[in-house]
């Protein structure tokens, strides 16, 4: 299985919009710990969760999550 590195801008986007981790977690139906782990790059969200995050911010998934070149 090929591992891929994904960089995300979730924390940056969330802070710019003035949304707390708790508010985002509640809106997405996940824990605050999940949001923290995604923002720190310790957890890769499922495709479903990535799409929900993008929809919440009215952005494309690619605007939030980027595949790093290896």
């Amino acid at each position: 299985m090929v591992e891929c590195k994904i960089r995300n801008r979730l924390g940056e986007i969330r802070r710019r919009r003035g949304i707390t981790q708790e508010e985002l977690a509640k809106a997405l139906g996940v824990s605050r710990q999940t949001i923290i782990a995604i923002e720190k790059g310790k957890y890769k969200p499922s495709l479903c969760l990535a799409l929900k995050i993008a929809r919440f911010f009215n952005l494309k998934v690619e605007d939030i999550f980027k595949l790093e070149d290896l």
Side-chain angles (χ1 to χ4, degrees):
M1 183 173 170
V2 177
E3 186 67 26
C4 63
K5 291 188 177 186
I6 298 174
R7 181 172 38 94
N8 77 74
R9 299 176 51 229
L10 181 57
E12 170 192 341
I13 293 166
R14 178 186 56 74
R15 287 186 295 274
R16 275 195 200 160
R17 303 274 179 106
I19 297 166
T20 67
Q21 291 172 332
E22 189 67 40
E23 290 168 333
L24 180 58
K26 187 174 181 179
L28 298 172
V30 299
S31 69
R32 180 173 170 260
Q33 288 76 19
T34 297
I35 300 302
I36 292 168
I38 294 170
E39 288 183 0
K40 289 183 175 182
K42 295 184 178 191
Y43 174 73
K44 294 177 191 172
S46 66
L47 177 58
C48 182
L49 182 54
L51 289 166
K52 285 181 180 181
I53 292 168
R55 180 186 292 166
F56 178 86
F57 289 110
N58 197 30
L59 295 170
K60 296 178 195 172
V61 172
E62 296 88 348
D63 293 334
I64 304 168
F65 300 96
K66 304 272 187 195
L67 185 62
E68 286 189 356
D69 295 330
L70 299 176

